[in-house]
Amino acid sequence: MSLTQRIRIGDVLVAQQIISQEQLILALEGQKQTGHKLGKQLIVMGFVEENKLLSLLSKQLNYPFIEIKQYRYDRDFIQTLPESLARRYRVLALKQEPDGVLLGMSDPTDIFCLDELQKIMRQPIKPAVVRESELMDILDTAYSHASEIASLAEQLDEELGGDAVDLNGLLQGAEDLDAPVVKLLHKIFEEALSTRASDIHIEPDETVLRIRQRIDGVLVEQVMNEKRISGAVVVRLKLMANLDISEKRLPQDGRFNLKIHGRSIDVRLSTMPVQFGESVVMRLLDQAGGIRSLDKVGMSPAYVKRFRQAIMRPHGLVLVTGPTGSGKTTTLYGALTELNTPERKIITVEDPVEYRLPRISQVQVHEKIGLNFAKVLRATLRQDPDVLLIGEIRDAESAEIALRAAMTGHMVLSTLHTNDAVGSALRLIDMGVDPYLVASSIKAIVAQRLVRKVCEICSAPYAPNADDIALIRQYGRYAPTIPMHLRRGVGCPHCFNTGCHGRVGIFEMLDITTNMADALRDNSVRQFNAAAHNHPNYRPLAAAALDLAFAGIITLDEVLRVSAEVEEDLELPINS
């Protein structure tokens, strides 16, 4: 079919009896309100499945349908098409072929888009049909802003001229959106969002400035020679977070909100004086995507059912444990969304408050003025709560208050920095809490990790080596019965040549039984460990990771990392 030949997708769908004439009329009316293309409007309204629509377009137009998620693309070639045009027309330059350029398009019926692209590319265009959602994900990954960031850093360095930062100039230009420092920070945040970074680290060194992003739990580094710009960048960030720009000798913490591409992002900022200036670490919290229901945090349906039963009790303590960055807050907020009804009074005590929830009283701990966890907890118990969320049990005092609250008719949810579920109850006793109090209050413990998924685009099967086989044998009693389909990523532009893209949660859950509670009262580590590990519903974290490795979702290296962390925790001395 000629590129200039127009197809009326609505009429074709009606003719093929995929939709009715009435549905087409309703979609056209809805289109006037939303501004969507007709195809997307039909999908949004549920009149046609996306796969069926794309298959029909491919057949009618005689264009190939490409599963772009599995496509091995070249990031450099994609960037031959300007990002603004790629986003405006929802297109992706996929491959240079002998007879033209292969373009992935979400709407190949748009002849105006094709005509415009034909003028720009000045060579034959070969359209292919792709899913819009997958195309937008690839756009976010492919158009890296690293070169723009380096260019803006160089521009800012030239503008600064000398070694000193002009604080007055920065203050006066605080609202100047064209200032190089503002442009630089904007690009840094854009880059972080497009790469799904959870944290941004800005670190001055002796001769360079390092900007590192934590992507899927691993830091990715960009080094800049313009070390002098670090002062201007830090000052600007302090202004945004309402911090003291003249104080460089002490650490400071703050937060601010920004909007990028229509998304509201909360930024938690921490500064620290280091040898060559001030280091800044920013945690990015996506307000739209951060709060998930329990069904979407990654637990298996069986674990979700058990966890729901635990949190729906009228009283008791439910712990979610794991190291920093393991997704504990996501799980607890998922629990709160289910408990958050008009009949329940819910109070949270956090440091800091990460996500804002309606109907819930959220209290920010402020250690500098003496508003610590213990003081806030005592006050909250006088506020008649049904559910109490404590951001973290940090010491014996806050632990004892939380446990007594759980004994006196409150459902208490909290986190603890331990590496597995079994060690958590023992850790509370080791902190100095009365064993009887722990045994009477604690109802369930969830331990979790986030492990890196194998990149779907470049994954390939592999055979286990001797170390892998030894690991499988170590957890043989828990090994899944399914056949092994081990896979690992070989590296591609989609995953920044790491072989991994995205993360998935693994969980272990321990319901405290009568035998376990008796062992806790007796302060017997041996009996508690035996009762926990022999319980038929208990499966350790490493076993959960092994399930995913056998299914080809993660590598055995990730299983080894998780099992090593847990073994490390078990080696910590606990008095028996």
Side-chain angles (χ1 to χ4, degrees):
M1 178 175 285
S2 167
L3 291 182
T4 57
Q5 186 172 342
R6 186 174 179 83
I7 177 173
R8 297 177 64 88
I9 187 63
D11 295 339
V12 173
L13 288 168
V14 172
Q16 298 274 348
Q17 296 185 341
I18 295 173
I19 64 171
S20 65
Q21 187 66 41
E22 290 76 15
Q23 287 175 322
L24 175 59
I25 292 169
L26 287 172
L28 289 169
E29 290 175 354
Q31 188 185 18
K32 295 174 184 175
Q33 302 295 323
T34 63
H36 292 327
K37 296 289 181 69
L38 180 59
K40 184 174 182 179
Q41 186 66 35
L42 288 164
I43 293 168
V44 169
M45 296 180 75
F47 294 158
V48 64
E49 293 180 359
E50 185 179 23
N51 284 347
K52 186 174 285 188
L53 175 63
L54 296 178
S55 176
L56 177 70
L57 281 174
S58 175
K59 185 177 179 181
Q60 290 290 321
L61 296 166
N62 197 26
Y63 294 158
F65 173 63
I66 293 179
E67 292 278 0
I68 198 170
K69 221 173 178 184
Q70 307 297 328
Y71 193 82
R72 295 290 298 274
Y73 62 83
D74 182 340
R75 183 182 283 108
D76 291 335
F77 184 72
I78 284 178
Q79 293 178 2
T80 58
L81 185 66
E83 182 180 3
S84 57
L85 291 176
R87 291 189 181 277
R88 186 193 310 164
Y89 294 123
R90 303 288 199 270
V91 298
L92 205 60
L94 294 175
K95 188 179 180 183
Q96 179 67 62
E97 297 190 339
D99 53 347
V101 178
L102 182 65
L103 282 186
M105 303 185 67
S106 64
D107 182 16
T109 66
D110 190 339
I111 59 172
F112 301 107
C113 161
L114 288 166
D115 288 342
E116 186 69 21
L117 291 172
Q118 185 73 75
K119 293 174 189 174
I120 294 166
M121 306 206 77
R122 297 181 181 177
Q123 57 178 311
I125 287 176
K126 299 177 63 180
V129 183
V130 299
R131 292 188 184 89
E132 182 175 344
S133 58
E134 293 179 0
L135 181 143
M136 296 307 292
D137 286 342
I138 300 294
L139 283 178
D140 287 341
T141 304
Y143 283 96
S144 170
H145 298 289
S147 58
E148 289 181 71
I149 290 171
S151 174
L152 286 166
E154 187 176 343
Q155 182 182 342
L156 177 58
D157 185 58
E158 290 174 0
E159 185 171 289
L160 290 173
D163 291 329
V165 176
D166 182 2
L167 298 183
N168 290 330
L170 283 168
L171 284 167
Q172 290 170 3
E175 302 302 322
D176 181 5
L177 298 180
D178 293 326
V181 67
V182 178
K183 287 183 177 180
L184 174 62
L185 285 172
H186 185 75
K187 285 299 176 187
I188 289 172
F189 285 119
E190 274 191 344
E191 172 80 351
L193 286 183
S194 67
T195 56
R196 302 167 293 103
S198 60
D199 301 83
I200 302 172
H201 295 236
I202 298 175
E203 303 166 338
D205 210 330
E206 185 174 7
T207 57
V208 297
L209 175 66
R210 302 180 194 279
I211 297 179
R212 301 201 280 177
Q213 299 176 357
R214 191 173 294 281
I215 303 170
D216 296 334
V218 178
L219 287 171
V220 177
E221 183 176 83
Q222 181 178 359
V223 179
M224 299 179 184
N225 293 323
E226 297 80 12
K227 189 258 179 185
R228 292 183 303 176
I229 71 173
S230 64
V233 171
V234 171
V235 168
R236 179 67 198 194
L237 289 169
K238 284 183 174 180
L239 287 171
M240 294 167 71
N242 293 318
L243 300 181
D244 184 354
I245 62 173
S246 64
E247 180 56 77
K248 299 180 181 181
R249 300 167 300 168
L250 296 173
Q252 296 187 68
D253 295 305
R255 69 188 303 162
F256 57 89
N257 183 272
L258 55 88
K259 284 195 174 181
I260 295 181
H261 300 316
R263 291 164 64 183
S264 179
I265 308 296
D266 260 2
V267 181
R268 279 171 30 199
L269 178 144
S270 171
T271 70
M272 178 176 287
V274 292
Q275 188 176 7
F276 299 106
E278 286 182 277
S279 169
V280 177
V281 176
M282 292 177 283
R283 168 66 56 90
L284 308 182
L285 303 169
D286 189 340
Q287 292 297 316
I291 302 174
R292 303 180 185 180
S293 66
L294 283 181
D295 295 311
K296 295 181 180 178
V297 299
M299 284 188 189
S300 67
Y303 274 18
V304 170
K305 182 179 179 181
R306 287 167 59 193
F307 190 61
R308 279 199 178 112
Q309 289 172 346
I311 65 173
M312 291 297 176
R313 293 170 182 258
H315 59 84
L317 172 66
V318 175
L319 284 174
V320 179
T321 73
T324 301
S326 58
K328 301 186 295 296
T329 301
T330 301
T331 300
L332 284 179
Y333 272 76
L336 286 185
T337 57
E338 300 212 357
L339 293 168
N340 189 9
T341 61
E343 297 80 29
R344 289 189 182 95
K345 169 78 170 183
I346 302 177
I347 301 177
T348 73
V349 185
E350 304 171 72
D351 183 21
V353 174
E354 295 199 1
Y355 299 101
R356 295 166 179 84
L357 296 169
R359 201 190 289 117
I360 293 178
S361 302
Q362 296 175 269
V363 184
Q364 168 84 50
V365 169
H366 201 326
E367 296 279 357
K368 289 181 181 178
I369 61 171
L371 193 64
N372 55 28
F373 272 102
K375 184 171 286 188
V376 177
L377 285 174
R378 290 192 188 93
T380 56
L381 294 177
R382 296 192 289 272
Q383 293 280 311
D384 188 29
D386 298 297
V387 179
L388 185 60
L389 182 143
I390 305 168
E392 181 188 347
I393 291 178
R394 296 183 175 181
D395 51 38
E397 187 178 14
S398 58
E400 187 165 336
I401 296 169
L403 289 164
R404 291 194 183 281
M407 283 185 67
T408 55
H410 306 86
M411 169 47 62
V412 181
L413 309 175
S414 189
T415 69
L416 197 63
H417 278 237
T418 52
N419 280 340
D420 70 334
V422 177
S424 299
L426 301 171
R427 181 61 56 85
L428 288 174
I429 295 173
D430 195 49
M431 289 168 68
V433 181
D434 187 337
Y436 175 80
L437 201 56
V438 177
S440 304
S441 305
I442 198 162
K443 302 302 179 186
I445 307 169
V446 173
Q448 66 181 79
R449 292 292 186 285
L450 292 175
V451 290
R452 297 197 294 166
K453 294 166 62 178
V454 173
C455 176
E456 295 179 6
I457 292 178
C458 65
S459 70
Y462 74 100
N465 57 29
D467 291 338
D468 295 334
I469 292 170
L471 178 67
I472 293 168
R473 285 175 179 166
Q474 182 182 349
Y475 293 95
R477 62 179 285 207
Y478 300 109
T481 56
I482 60 171
M484 281 195 298
H485 295 289
L486 302 180
R487 301 185 72 84
R488 64 159 56 105
V490 297
C492 68
H494 184 67
C495 63
F496 301 100
N497 293 315
T498 62
C500 299
H501 186 267
R503 290 191 291 178
V504 61
I506 56 169
F507 301 83
E508 70 177 28
M509 186 167 178
L510 187 66
D511 299 296
I512 304 300
T513 63
T514 303
N515 289 341
M516 294 180 208
D518 289 341
L520 288 173
R521 287 189 188 92
D522 296 337
N523 199 9
S524 172
V525 175
R526 188 182 299 277
Q527 289 180 24
F528 182 78
N529 278 330
H533 284 94
N534 292 328
H535 195 278
N537 285 339
Y538 175 74
R539 297 185 83 245
L541 278 168
L546 201 61
D547 291 347
L548 297 182
F550 272 39
I553 297 171
I554 68 173
T555 64
L556 283 171
D557 290 338
E558 288 293 282
V559 182
L560 184 62
R561 180 175 65 82
V562 170
S563 60
E565 283 182 1
V566 175
E567 286 169 8
E568 228 173 71
D569 190 54
L570 292 175
E571 290 170 4
L572 292 173
I574 299 174
N575 296 325
S576 59

